[in-house]
Amino acid sequence: MDHVELLRALSSQFGVSGFEGEVREWIDTTIRGLVDTIKIDVLGNLIARITPGQDFVLMLDAHMDEIGIMVSYVEESGFLRFAPIGGWDPRVFPAQQVEIRSRDGKKHRGVIGASPPHIQTPEEQKQALKVEDLFVDIGASSREEVFALGIGIGSPGCLHYPFQILNAGRAMGKALDDRAGCAILIRCLEYFSKNRPNFTLVANFATGEEVGLRGAKTAAYQIQPDVALVIEGTVGADTPGIPAHKCPARLDKGPAISVADKSIIVDPSFVSFIENIAETSKIPWQHKVPLTGGTDAGEIHVAGKGVRTGVVSVPCRYIHSPNSVLDLKDFEHTLSLVVEVARRAREIKGYES
Ligand SMILES: [Zn+2]
């Protein structure tokens, strides 16, 4: 499977926070032959190990979950009211296509509707629609019809469009935050299954990042790594009207190395370590402009006695929308950087002596 097919497969899986089963099963099947052990923990994290039992433990982390919606009420008329799961801009919602998952795992297509402009007052037209003004139309005409499909309060859904390749090696799809990171983790497991490390490599495919870094917290507690590296899909905002100082990361400039975000201030010696590897390996790289967003690193670095933790990201435009865009060269460069840092993980030093 080439990078495009891997990204396509991962982007297409359903994995709204708290409902990561489908994407987890896909990853489980894909990596089973590459790793020595696989464990699913209480919160649903998929924890895979290569060469377990070594004296040094490196944790690589990417989150499986994506932001989505949850049915909060079913109208008698068959329309679904919903609540956002994760960090949405509610202005994104109107007129989007959605997939609602029923109890038996089937997906039901629908659209987010709102009152049409024709019947809005001029005052109403000036205001952004609020989530409570919106509803999902799955083509049902009664509450009973909805219930008969196995859909009701608590049913999860995601904004869903097919994965596509745009011009010049750019990929567009939903959930590239952080299925791009999951893809890199899978590639790393392929690499280290052939090049067995002299340390324990633990890949954590995390749950619940988008609702508060929840899976990473329990995973780091169990793994107790010496060093951790979080791989993210981060905000690419090199688009018209955004000044350079407000642009967290740019497409086609290589992996974004974090110095700090809202959840962690990365140990500067770890930042330099990653930068030096990028320089000596001739991998283009950029700093992610602080202090935007938060990542699983926020929970991992304060787990147990503390964990030396770094963050490297693939820049993705329009994340937290159903059509994010990444550059495949950035993906490849981020993968190369993560493999190099992982290979040399034993060299990463922290404060303690
Ligand atoms: Zn993310």
Side-chain angles (χ1 to χ4, degrees):
M1 204 184 322
D2 65 14
H3 292 332
V4 169
E5 290 316 307
L6 180 60
L7 285 166
R8 184 194 306 279
L10 282 163
S11 166
S12 308
Q13 307 296 324
F14 187 95
V16 172
S17 308
F19 303 88
E20 297 94 345
E22 184 179 310
V23 61
R24 179 174 52 241
E25 271 169 40
W26 191 89
I27 293 170
D28 191 326
T29 308
T30 305
I31 66 171
R32 203 144 266 274
L34 304 172
V35 300
D36 296 314
T37 65
I38 290 183
K39 175 188 169 181
I40 317 287
D41 81 352
V42 178
L43 264 62
N45 296 297
L46 190 162
I47 302 171
R49 287 179 167 84
I50 291 181
T51 58
Q54 304 269 337
D55 64 331
F56 182 91
V57 177
L58 169 68
M59 173 182 182
L60 299 179
D61 174 282
H63 67 88
M64 294 185 286
D65 64 312
E66 63 186 299
I67 60 173
I69 60 174
M70 179 181 274
V71 175
S72 56
Y73 183 74
V74 181
E75 299 277 355
E76 265 177 54
S77 49
F79 293 102
L80 316 177
R81 298 288 186 173
F82 66 94
I85 296 182
W88 283 103
D89 175 349
R91 291 172 298 183
V92 167
F93 285 132
Q96 300 281 9
Q97 292 189 35
V98 296
E99 233 175 38
I100 305 290
R101 203 187 72 173
S102 57
R103 214 165 288 126
D104 60 2
K106 279 209 194 91
K107 315 293 184 351
H108 299 268
R109 300 292 297 185
V111 61
I112 298 179
S115 72
H118 317 70
I119 56 170
Q120 288 174 19
T121 64
E123 274 313 301
E124 283 170 332
Q125 286 196 7
K126 276 188 218 149
Q127 316 232 324
L129 292 162
K130 294 197 268 316
V131 178
E132 49 265 40
D133 301 326
L134 305 171
F135 45 82
V136 175
D137 183 344
I138 55 166
S141 39
S142 71
R143 184 180 281 161
E144 290 66 35
E145 213 179 316
V146 173
F147 289 163
L149 293 171
I151 293 172
I153 288 179
S155 296
C158 65
L159 278 57
H160 194 289
Y161 293 85
F163 179 91
Q164 294 171 70
I165 294 296
L166 305 180
N167 191 29
R170 297 211 166 151
M172 178 171 79
K174 77 166 181 67
L176 295 179
D177 167 17
D178 184 26
R179 305 290 163 73
C182 293
I184 286 173
L185 245 62
I186 291 171
R187 289 285 185 250
C188 284
L189 293 174
E190 287 169 356
Y191 176 86
F192 285 105
S193 72
K194 295 193 201 96
N195 304 275
R196 306 273 294 173
N198 64 352
F199 53 84
T200 296
L201 175 73
V202 188
N204 181 49
F205 297 88
T207 54
E209 193 271 354
E210 298 288 4
V211 287
L213 323 180
R214 293 173 188 172
K217 183 171 186 164
T218 60
Y221 173 81
Q222 298 161 76
I223 295 165
Q224 297 194 314
D226 294 286
V227 168
L229 188 64
V230 171
I231 300 105
E232 259 290 4
T234 200
V235 186
D238 54 326
T239 51
I242 309 235
H245 69 279
K246 280 188 159 180
C247 175
R250 317 179 81 84
L251 260 62
D252 206 20
K253 300 287 180 214
I257 299 172
S258 292
V259 292
D261 61 31
K262 288 202 179 81
S263 67
I264 182 172
I265 297 169
V266 181
D267 178 342
S269 68
F270 197 168
V271 175
S272 313
F273 183 84
I274 301 172
E275 290 168 2
N276 288 338
I277 287 182
E279 286 294 325
T280 52
S281 311
K282 302 205 165 21
I283 299 166
W285 65 278
Q286 57 188 318
H287 279 134
K288 183 180 167 192
V289 171
L291 289 155
T292 43
T295 63
D296 279 345
E299 285 294 344
I300 296 168
H301 83 295
V302 293
K305 63 180 171 48
V307 179
R308 294 190 286 279
T309 306
V311 188
V312 171
S313 301
V314 182
C316 299
R317 289 181 190 154
Y318 326 119
I319 62 169
H320 292 206
S321 91
N323 293 297
S324 40
V325 172
L326 64 73
D327 189 289
L328 291 163
K329 288 191 294 303
D330 289 334
F331 176 83
E332 284 175 25
H333 287 137
T334 308
L335 170 60
S336 305
L337 181 59
V338 170
V339 168
E340 273 313 299
V341 172
R343 269 171 16 92
R344 295 174 52 184
R346 274 186 186 273
E347 298 167 38
I348 298 163
K349 299 281 185 276
Y351 291 115
E352 87 273 30
S353 55

